[in-house]
Amino acid sequence: MTKRVVLIGHPVAHSLSGAMQQAAFDELKIDARYELWDRAPIALGDSIVELRGDEFLGANVTIPHKERVVPMVDRLTEEAQATGAVNTITREGKRLIGHNTDVAGFKIALDRIVGRQKMPRQAVVLGAGGGARAVVYGLIREGFQRVIIFNRHLHRAEGLVKHFGRSAAHMELRAMPWHDSIIEAELAKTKILINATSIGLTSDVTPVPAEALHGDLLVLDLIYSNTRLLRDAAAAGATTADGELMLLHQGAAAFTLWTGQPAPLDLMQAKLAEARAGGLRSAEGEPTGEPAAAAAE
Ligand code: NDP
């Protein structure tokens, strides 16, 4: 029986994950099909129930469901519990296990952009959704001492801070209102800026005015594209990276969870690049644009 793995999101058209996961199944001769399920929030519960069937290896979960799906699975791994977000589901019999492989993907992306420098201790995070939760958890685990979160809807950032209350008790984790002047003041004393909003995903807009960026910054945009933020940051002399490494490694970790086998990383990376060059779209079904020119190696 051909096994099934599904990406559940809204929208999910032209997913990059599909290209890399199907190629990985085929390469390892695993009889499985990666399907895209576009499901509005109201249909999420029924989709999760369906996953309990024998033909399913599991699922990926993306925008906007990563937090909503948490109470719908039977068990959470440590990362999923700690972040309050699930991006990967596996099945054990009829039981569904919620994982968060964005955490592992983010760690690799963070290590890469920091390179040989000393790991900074202060960061500014834009966004408070599922992706931001993996980022904030990663920064806490990395020993950051001050992390400031800006989000369009302040209450969501405050909810995120509250969620991490105990694990962040030793450090300063704060939500601040989204004002250009406050963001600029925070960036002036910060080494790392992470964009975990979807601003820049669908159109060429930036969450931060170019004047607020400076040459000492390391700027990581989770969007898999050379966004305006990354271009402005590179022009200011900053080191930049897009979401490619995170996307690749969260996908590789998910592949191993479903199949028990090491992921063919080089092939998956090549498939991502191919899909991008061919004008394919991001995991959320939007244009990805050109690779980040100044992406950190
Ligand atoms: P969510 O839907 O959970 O969160 C979206 C975030 O973007 C929220 O903070 C939201 O703010 C903000 N936002 C959306 N539109 C606007 C807008 N017009 N103005 C201001 N803020 C806005 O999504 P995720 O956290 O799952 O994903 C966020 C981004 O990160 C996406 O672009 C996704 O592609 C990327 N991502 C990349 C990954 C990778 O592997 N490279 C992994 C995970 C995410 P508000 O709460 O106020 O609505």
Side-chain angles (χ1 to χ4, degrees):
M1 174 174 54
T2 301
K3 296 287 188 184
R4 301 168 71 188
V5 179
V6 299
L7 169 67
I8 307 175
H10 187 60
V12 291
H14 306 105
S15 154
L16 286 168
S17 294
M20 69 171 171
Q21 297 292 2
Q22 191 61 55
F25 290 141
D26 296 348
E27 170 80 5
L28 272 68
K29 305 211 172 350
I30 294 166
D31 184 14
R33 197 172 64 228
Y34 193 88
E35 301 170 22
L36 308 181
W37 283 6
D38 189 332
R39 298 288 187 271
I42 194 159
L44 182 63
D46 286 346
S47 307
I48 300 302
V49 168
E50 205 178 328
L51 290 181
R52 294 175 198 276
D54 283 345
E55 71 270 34
F56 289 94
L57 289 180
N60 274 144
V61 180
T62 188
I63 276 186
H65 301 315
K66 286 181 184 177
E67 293 157 73
R68 202 173 280 115
V69 79
V70 165
M72 299 178 182
V73 297
D74 304 299
R75 185 166 70 75
L76 296 171
T77 60
E78 187 190 328
E79 278 88 4
Q81 177 85 48
T83 53
V86 163
N87 82 323
T88 301
I89 294 174
T90 55
R91 190 176 58 78
E92 288 175 4
K94 295 274 176 234
R95 287 166 54 79
L96 298 178
I97 319 300
H99 308 253
N100 192 319
T101 67
D102 282 341
V103 172
F106 172 68
K107 161 86 176 133
I108 290 170
L110 178 68
D111 286 347
R112 177 70 68 90
I113 196 169
V114 170
R116 290 163 197 256
Q117 304 176 49
K118 194 165 167 274
M119 184 60 77
R121 293 287 169 240
Q122 302 200 3
V124 166
V125 177
L126 307 175
R133 282 172 175 255
V135 166
V136 169
Y137 180 60
L139 296 173
I140 294 172
R141 277 219 306 211
E142 201 60 50
F144 274 63
Q145 289 303 309
R146 187 164 192 271
V147 175
I148 307 299
I149 300 158
F150 292 96
N151 197 52
R152 172 177 57 179
H153 295 108
L154 179 60
H155 67 88
R156 196 170 180 195
E158 288 169 341
L160 190 153
V161 169
K162 200 167 164 206
H163 173 87
F164 285 107
R166 205 176 300 163
S167 50
H170 62 288
M171 61 175 287
E172 186 182 0
L173 178 64
R174 287 179 65 181
M176 286 193 183
W178 189 296
H179 283 300
D180 286 353
S181 59
I182 307 179
I183 295 177
E184 185 165 356
E186 281 304 322
L187 287 181
K189 37 186 174 171
T190 300
K191 188 86 206 268
I192 292 209
L193 167 63
I194 296 155
N195 179 34
T197 73
S198 37
I199 302 172
L201 183 67
T202 56
S203 53
D204 198 31
V205 290
T206 176
V208 173
E211 313 78 73
L213 302 166
H214 57 82
D216 289 335
L217 277 174
L218 308 177
V219 182
L220 175 61
D221 197 330
L222 300 200
I223 296 173
Y224 180 28
S225 158
N226 189 18
T227 57
R228 188 162 151 205
L229 171 65
L230 292 180
R231 298 197 312 273
D232 288 347
T239 302
T240 64
D242 69 16
E244 176 186 357
L245 262 193
M246 182 167 169
L247 184 67
L248 174 67
H249 285 277
Q250 62 77 28
F255 179 89
T256 299
L257 287 169
W258 298 320
T259 65
Q261 303 206 38
L265 262 183
D266 289 348
L267 173 76
M268 291 170 84
Q269 189 156 27
K271 287 290 163 189
L272 274 182
E274 201 179 294
R276 188 167 170 174
L280 261 185
R281 295 158 180 234
S282 76
E284 285 71 40
E286 302 297 343
T288 54
E290 293 303 311
E297 250 317 293

